[in-house]
Amino acid sequence: GGGGASGGDGGGGVLPTRVAGRDHYYVHDVAAFAADVARIEVKHPQHKHQVKLALIYSTPDAPTGKPPPDTPAATSADGGTARSVAFTDFLEEMGERVALKTWTGYRGDMGRDVEQESYFTRWRGVDVMYHVSPLLGTEQHRRLIGNDVGVVLFRDEAAGPLRLDDVDIGTVPQVHAAVRPVVHDGTPLYQFAFFTRKSCTVRYGPPLPASRLFRRGDDARDFLLCKLVNGHVAALRCPPLNRLFSRPRGATLDDFIKAFPAETAAATKAREAKEADARRRAREAYRGLPQVLNVRVIGARNLPSADSNGSSDPFCIVSLDEQEHRTEVHKKTLTPQWDQSFQFSLTGVDAQFAVLRMRVKDYDRVGRNDFLGECYVSINSIVDASIVAGIDANALAAAARPNGGAAAAAM
């Protein structure tokens, strides 16, 4: 059960109330409570299935890709503000171009019925919509990129180093990746660097190799997206974004307190009386049940022939759970009359599900014994009432009846 709790903004879920000054109490409707707890993860999942990321073309004049005032949004991915061929190649590697007006997938707050194109990809079950700075208008840049937790800053090699003091997008962006195209030994590569805000104290992987170099294409894309998605989840556990996670969960837990209130003294008394009555009825239902089952195996008829002489050497195996008994072997007969009795302990046997199994086999001195037939009798039916069970395939028949804790069986 859950009760009121206290905590700061930097902690986990915060419950705004306490129940009669108690830190906890018991919830007895376990099934209903467990079902409601499972719904928390459905409403507020920790795993991200949809992520929006900013892809910024960073230049010395516009480190954060912010366009001049009153710049309209580009209607095509071929338009927009100027960018290098290297950045365009990077876009094509990170995702596919989509027309937002007809796009039916995850939109990442890009709006509907807009004559505009953007880039999208699906990576390991996560839908990723990119906010590409050269394609955004002035207002879109402020509204979209200013609310992206993860940001990629693409910087041409000739543009010089990126100064962190120049990266001022707002308080929401927490995880930043700097990407620079380089050529090493004639091979085109990307060089990565990552940095986060000081408030994001949760470490996240994968670790960046010492060279920080990645071959262009799937290797670089997978590493970059893995790092950014993991960073996105880590940022939601740190201030100030943890409020977006802890407060809704805290409100849900507070609803639990209302849905499953602490039991009153009268309710406790009524519940305990109901439980005691159920235990009493269970004892009465079990009282008088036998603890030992006596089985008398009389015989069998019309058994199939298993030997070349047209006969069989039958014997019967009677088993209950791990307990097993065998009759003597009767030679050259299809109608054996064993008339042997066996005793089975019912201690620890679940009478609701256990069965008495009777198998008849042909004895062979060499090799495996041949199967001739079998039948099953439910222990519950033996205890509760007389039953008759049979198997027509081999003309086997069995009968069981209560007899003061004993039963007789004929085969």
Side-chain angles (χ1 to χ4, degrees), residues 138-387:
T138 305
E139 176 59 24
Q140 279 186 321
H141 187 284
R142 181 196 64 79
R143 178 174 59 85
L144 297 175
I145 291 183
N147 287 288
D148 288 336
V149 176
V151 176
V152 178
L153 297 142
F154 185 93
R155 189 91 165 182
D156 287 325
E157 188 172 13
L162 176 68
R163 297 176 62 252
L164 296 186
D165 291 340
D166 295 335
V167 182
D168 184 14
I169 306 173
T171 60
V172 174
Q174 301 289 311
V175 181
H176 303 76
V179 179
R180 184 174 67 167
V182 298
V183 177
H184 182 70
D185 292 337
T187 302
L189 305 170
Y190 286 123
Q191 188 176 55
F192 291 161
F194 296 88
F195 57 96
T196 59
R197 289 185 177 272
K198 293 181 179 180
S199 58
C200 187
T201 57
V202 176
R203 298 178 64 87
Y204 58 92
L208 188 65
S211 68
R212 300 187 295 148
L213 296 175
F214 292 84
R215 186 181 300 273
R216 297 185 189 180
D218 291 341
D219 290 347
R221 173 180 175 273
D222 285 347
F223 186 90
L224 186 59
L225 287 175
C226 185
K227 191 75 170 177
L228 289 170
V229 171
N230 287 344
H232 194 288
V233 174
L236 291 178
R237 298 169 57 185
C238 303
L241 299 185
N242 63 338
R243 298 181 182 182
L244 302 176
F245 183 76
S246 62
R247 286 189 175 180
R249 285 197 165 210
T252 301
L253 291 174
D254 196 44
D255 290 339
F256 284 172
I257 297 176
K258 299 175 184 177
F260 301 93
E263 216 173 41
T264 63
T268 300
K269 185 176 181 180
R271 176 181 53 78
E272 291 176 346
K274 184 178 180 180
E275 292 172 352
D277 182 63
R279 289 193 295 269
R280 177 186 58 77
R281 286 187 280 106
R283 286 195 301 269
E284 291 178 353
Y286 190 78
R287 187 176 299 148
L289 291 183
Q291 298 301 303
V292 173
L293 179 68
N294 294 313
V295 178
R296 182 184 173 196
V297 182
I298 299 174
R301 62 179 181 271
N302 300 327
L303 293 178
S305 172
D307 298 333
S308 59
N309 59 10
S311 186
S312 296
D313 301 324
F315 67 99
C316 183
I317 305 172
V318 188
S319 58
L320 175 64
D321 287 352
E322 301 297 324
Q323 306 172 68
E324 183 177 286
H325 296 285
R326 298 189 178 197
T327 66
E328 298 174 346
V329 177
H330 283 205
K331 296 289 187 177
K332 300 180 180 179
T333 179
L334 301 180
T335 56
Q337 297 295 311
W338 295 290
D339 198 17
Q340 289 182 251
S341 297
F342 305 106
Q343 189 175 85
F344 294 88
S345 172
L346 294 181
T347 302
V349 174
D350 189 341
Q352 293 296 323
F353 302 101
V355 293
L356 184 70
R357 183 184 185 189
M358 290 165 278
R359 291 169 290 163
V360 177
K361 292 189 175 183
D362 172 68
Y363 174 77
D364 287 323
R365 186 181 298 275
V366 179
R368 302 179 65 178
N369 298 321
D370 297 325
F371 175 81
L372 300 179
E374 67 179 354
C375 68
Y376 300 87
V377 180
S378 167
I379 297 300
N380 188 42
S381 63
I382 295 175
V383 171
D384 290 345
S386 298
I387 60 98

